[in-house]
Amino acid sequence: DTAVSQTPKYLVTQMGNDKSIKCEQNLGHDTMYWYKQDSKKFLKIMFSYNNKELIINETVPNRFSPKSPDKAHLNLHINSLELGDSAVYFCASSQDASNQPQHFGDGTRLSIL
Amino acid sequence: SQQGEEDPQALSIQEGENATMNCSYKTSINNLQWYRQNSGRGLVHLILIRSNEREKHSGRLRVTLDTSKKSSSLLITASRAADTASYFCATGSNTGKLIFGQGTTLQVKP
C-alpha cells in the first residue's frame, strides 16, 4: 500500500485556471506538509498542518490555499495559476511536528501553458 | 531561506567505489537528516543524526556530524548502479521546519 499518495501525478493547464491537488497518508501520522521543488531541484516548504491545524505558513502567495479535512488528508488549491507556478509539488507526512523523518509522495508535476 | 549547502553538486563514480557528499549549514540544529530522490519520485528518508551524535551507520551508509564546523557528510560504500539518485541533507531546528540543501546528484556507472 502506498503510504503517501498524491493525485494527480501530472497536471497541465492554462494560465489563469484554478486547480487542486489531493494528498492522503495511511501512516497514522499527525503532521502533513506541502513542498514546492523547482527546476533546479530546490525543495521549499510551503505549509504544514498538525492534527488539522495550520502550523507553518511560509511566504506563499495567497492564491495557494491548503485544506485539511482530517489528519490523513491535506489538499492544495491554487487559484489564478501563473507561469511561475510550474514546478513539482510534494506532499509529505511525519509522526509529529518535532523534526521527525518525513515520508514523501511521488509528486504532482504542474505545467502551466 | 536555504540552510544547507551541499558539495559537490554532481558526482560520477564507478560501481564499487565509495561516494562522499558533504553538507554545510548556518544555524543551530536539533538534528540533520539525509534523503535520497530517484528520478521522477519523491524523497526517501535515509538516516537521521541528532545534534549530540557524531557518527551513525545504516547498512552501507555512514553519516558524520560536526556541529562545531556546522557540517555533515554522507558516505556510501561499495556503490551500486541502483544508488544513482540525488541526495539531500535537511536540518531540523526549533522552528519545526526541515530546511533542505540543494542536493548532490550521484551517478554510479556500471
Side-chain angles (χ1 to χ4, degrees):
Chain A
D1 280 344
T2 305
V4 180
S5 58
Q6 300 178 225
T7 54
K9 191 172 173 64
Y10 299 97
L11 192 47
V12 181
T13 189
Q14 303 273 1
M15 212 163 49
N17 283 351
D18 303 339
K19 290 293 177 187
S20 291
I21 308 172
K22 295 187 175 182
C23 179
E24 176 181 2
Q25 54 96 2
N26 63 5
L27 297 166
H29 287 168
D30 285 346
T31 311
M32 295 185 73
Y33 310 82
W34 278 112
Y35 288 89
K36 178 179 180 181
Q37 187 174 45
D38 64 21
S39 58
K40 294 182 181 177
K41 293 192 177 176
F42 178 49
L43 194 70
K44 190 174 190 310
I45 188 162
M46 301 172 69
F47 302 103
S48 175
Y49 273 73
N50 187 57
N51 274 321
K52 302 194 297 175
E53 181 185 340
L54 181 66
I55 57 170
I56 294 174
N57 186 355
E58 289 295 280
T59 309
V60 176
N62 49 17
R63 298 182 294 104
F64 290 79
S65 51
K67 278 196 174 60
S68 182
D70 56 62
K71 74 175 194 176
H73 295 84
L74 179 62
N75 304 322
L76 183 65
H77 188 76
I78 316 169
N79 288 327
S80 304
L81 281 157
E82 298 178 358
L83 289 174
D85 297 332
S86 293
V88 183
Y89 292 85
F90 285 98
C91 176
S93 72
S94 64
Q95 190 171 350
D96 57 42
S98 64
N99 301 140
Q100 293 296 311
Q102 294 185 12
H103 297 251
F104 283 75
D106 277 339
T108 295
R109 283 144 190 84
L110 174 63
S111 298
I112 310 300
L113 302 178
Chain B
S1 62
Q2 191 171 345
Q3 164 81 305
E5 292 189 5
E6 293 181 63
D7 147 63
Q9 287 196 333
L11 183 58
S12 182
I13 59 175
Q14 293 295 132
E15 214 166 18
E17 293 179 340
N18 295 342
T20 300
M21 288 159 263
N22 302 297
C23 169
S24 60
Y25 57 92
K26 295 172 186 166
T27 60
S28 61
I29 62 171
N30 293 336
N31 65 48
L32 188 142
Q33 303 178 29
W34 285 91
Y35 289 78
R36 183 187 75 233
Q37 184 179 29
N38 290 90
S39 180
R41 303 297 301 272
L43 280 74
V44 174
H45 179 261
L46 296 176
I47 199 163
L48 180 154
I49 186 165
R50 292 186 173 78
S51 59
N52 60 356
E53 297 176 310
R54 291 296 165 256
E55 190 170 311
K56 209 157 181 185
H57 297 254
S58 175
R60 293 183 298 111
L61 305 181
R62 173 178 167 252
V63 167
T64 62
L65 179 64
D66 186 335
T67 52
S68 67
K69 293 181 180 175
K70 291 188 167 59
S71 67
S72 173
S73 67
L74 170 68
L75 169 66
I76 304 173
T77 59
S79 63
R80 304 167 182 168
D83 294 329
T84 294
S86 293
Y87 291 82
F88 295 87
C89 68
T91 52
S93 68
N94 291 336
T95 64
K97 294 186 284 193
L98 279 187
I99 307 294
F100 285 82
Q102 81 271 27
T104 293
T105 300
L106 173 66
Q107 182 185 26
V108 182
K109 298 175 188 173

